[in-house]
Amino acid sequence: METQALSVPEAIRTRRTVRHYRPDPVDPAVLDEVLELAVQAPSAWNMQDRSIVVVSSEAGRNRLSQAAFGQPQPREAPVALVFVADATAWEAPNTDIAATAARNGAWNAEFTALFDSRAEYHDLRERGLLRENAVKNAMIAATYTMLAATALGLASAPMNGWDPHLVKQAIGIEDRDNLAIAVIVTIGHAATAPQHPGRRTRNRIVFTERYPAQRDYS
């Protein structure tokens, strides 16, 4: 590809949330690379219980904008990615996951047996945390996506503030209670150049061994 990719540290430091986009289309080869990098994101037990719905049609993006209470990002950006978390993915055999891991030499028989037992997922079900677990995995993939987009010269925005039923309706899963919307990420070419709003100093965010008795939010 023609774009000179940024390093991971550069992508982290230069990524900004972009709300307004030029109408220029995203190069299909670049989008393909972003998606290829997104699916490399880790997930618990490599369950890959998250999917990405690519919405590029004008009608589809308008539906997402409406579902997001009129926010402009999906309407303006040429591509909107909807990250879907599947709380029931673990119930399927998923034999391809174990077979690929064994073939790659990543899992031994003992680990494969643990995967097949689904013991951790039974525990998550008992504690009512299956949806939360799947959403966490989807959010990791969304983060990979935004960094990949930045590295390849694209702008992005993680979107909050949407009606989950309307988003599900927009991508045709309104009748799937096992599926949850984790986040929407818009991808395109920035029409503006947002300045970095800054972050608190690390000593207010990073702690050693134990969380402080009191946090300074002043």
Side-chain angles (χ1 to χ4, degrees), residues 8-9 13 18 60 67 74 88 111 143 147:
V8 173
R13 290 190 172 98
V18 172
T88 58
F111 194 90
T143 300
L147 293 179

Side-chain angles (χ1 to χ4, degrees), residues 154-167:
L154 296 172
S156 65
M159 291 187 62
N160 204 351
W162 28 260
D163 182 311
H165 177 73
L166 292 180
V167 175

Side-chain angles (χ1 to χ4, degrees), residues 15-54:
R15 187 212 63 80
R16 299 289 177 269
T17 294
V18 172
R19 287 177 54 83
H20 295 287
Y21 297 83
R22 304 198 308 269
D24 314 43
V26 171
D27 184 330
V30 177
L31 178 60
D32 188 65
E33 178 69 1
V34 168
L35 295 171
E36 179 59 33
L37 293 170
V39 300
Q40 297 301 317
S43 56
W45 288 96
N46 198 29
M47 194 61 69
Q48 301 167 66
D49 48 356
R50 69 289 188 272
S51 301
I52 306 170
V53 178
V54 181

Side-chain angles (χ1 to χ4, degrees), residues 17 30 34 37 42 44 63 84 87 98 107 115 133 143 157 195 203 207:
T17 294
V30 177
V34 168
L37 293 170
R63 285 194 295 269
V84 180
W107 290 4
F115 174 81
N133 182 70
T143 300
Q195 296 301 306
N203 67 313
F207 310 106

Side-chain angles (χ1 to χ4, degrees), residues 41 87 114 154 179:
L114 287 172
L154 296 172
L179 301 178

Side-chain angles (χ1 to χ4, degrees), residues 91-205:
E91 297 174 0
N94 293 304
T95 53
D96 64 309
I97 293 174
T100 301
R103 187 168 59 248
N104 290 344
W107 290 4
N108 58 24
E110 180 182 5
F111 194 90
T112 299
L114 287 172
F115 174 81
D116 290 339
S117 76
R118 305 290 200 272
E120 184 174 323
Y121 284 88
H122 289 290
D123 179 63
L124 289 170
R125 180 176 61 184
E126 289 298 313
R127 294 188 290 145
L129 296 175
L130 288 170
R131 180 187 183 280
E132 179 179 320
N133 182 70
V135 168
K136 287 176 181 176
N137 292 329
M139 292 302 296
I140 294 170
T143 300
Y144 267 52
T145 299
M146 290 184 288
L147 293 179
T150 301
L152 296 172
L154 296 172
S156 65
M159 291 187 62
N160 204 351
W162 28 260
D163 182 311
H165 177 73
L166 292 180
V167 175
K168 292 174 77 171
Q169 194 173 61
I171 60 172
I173 58 170
E174 63 270 22
D175 59 343
R176 300 285 299 279
D177 292 338
N178 62 306
L179 301 178
I181 304 301
V183 68
I184 301 171
V185 174
T186 49
I187 300 286
H189 300 279
T192 58
Q195 296 301 306
H196 196 319
R199 300 288 188 263
R200 285 174 166 157
T201 56
R202 199 173 71 179
N203 67 313
R204 296 183 62 185
I205 303 297

